[in-house]
Amino acid sequence: MEFGENLRRLRESQGLSIRTLAGKAEVGYVSIFRIEAGQQDPTLSMLRRIAKALDVTVSELIGEK
């Protein structure tokens, strides 16, 4: 599974919109949208903030088992 697909799955499983996740993670809405679409790679800082907002580890966020 690609990172963007995993991010979308985690976000949707928590009932969060892209805008809500972006606000919680302090990441731009467009960045979250592009990451999910596979059009942008997140920075390490973004990965950490998104993982924290979703209450998962970075490993879980990137799809490592």
Side-chain angles (χ1 to χ4, degrees):
M1 178 180 300
E2 286 189 26
F3 172 72
E5 294 171 354
N6 194 52
L7 172 57
R8 180 179 297 117
R9 182 186 59 78
L10 287 167
R11 176 180 60 76
E12 290 177 346
S13 74
Q14 294 185 27
L16 299 174
S17 68
I18 293 175
R19 287 195 190 277
T20 302
L21 175 58
K24 287 180 70 171
E26 298 180 0
V27 173
Y29 163 82
V30 173
S31 291
I32 299 287
F33 179 84
R34 287 181 178 163
I35 291 167
E36 286 190 359
Q39 299 171 347
Q40 178 179 336
D41 291 326
T43 64
L44 182 56
S45 176
M46 286 174 151
L47 283 174
R48 289 179 177 148
R49 291 192 310 253
I50 293 168
K52 184 176 180 182
L54 291 170
D55 195 30
V56 297
T57 65
V58 171
S59 293
E60 290 170 310
L61 180 60
I62 63 174
E64 288 184 346
K65 301 209 181 207

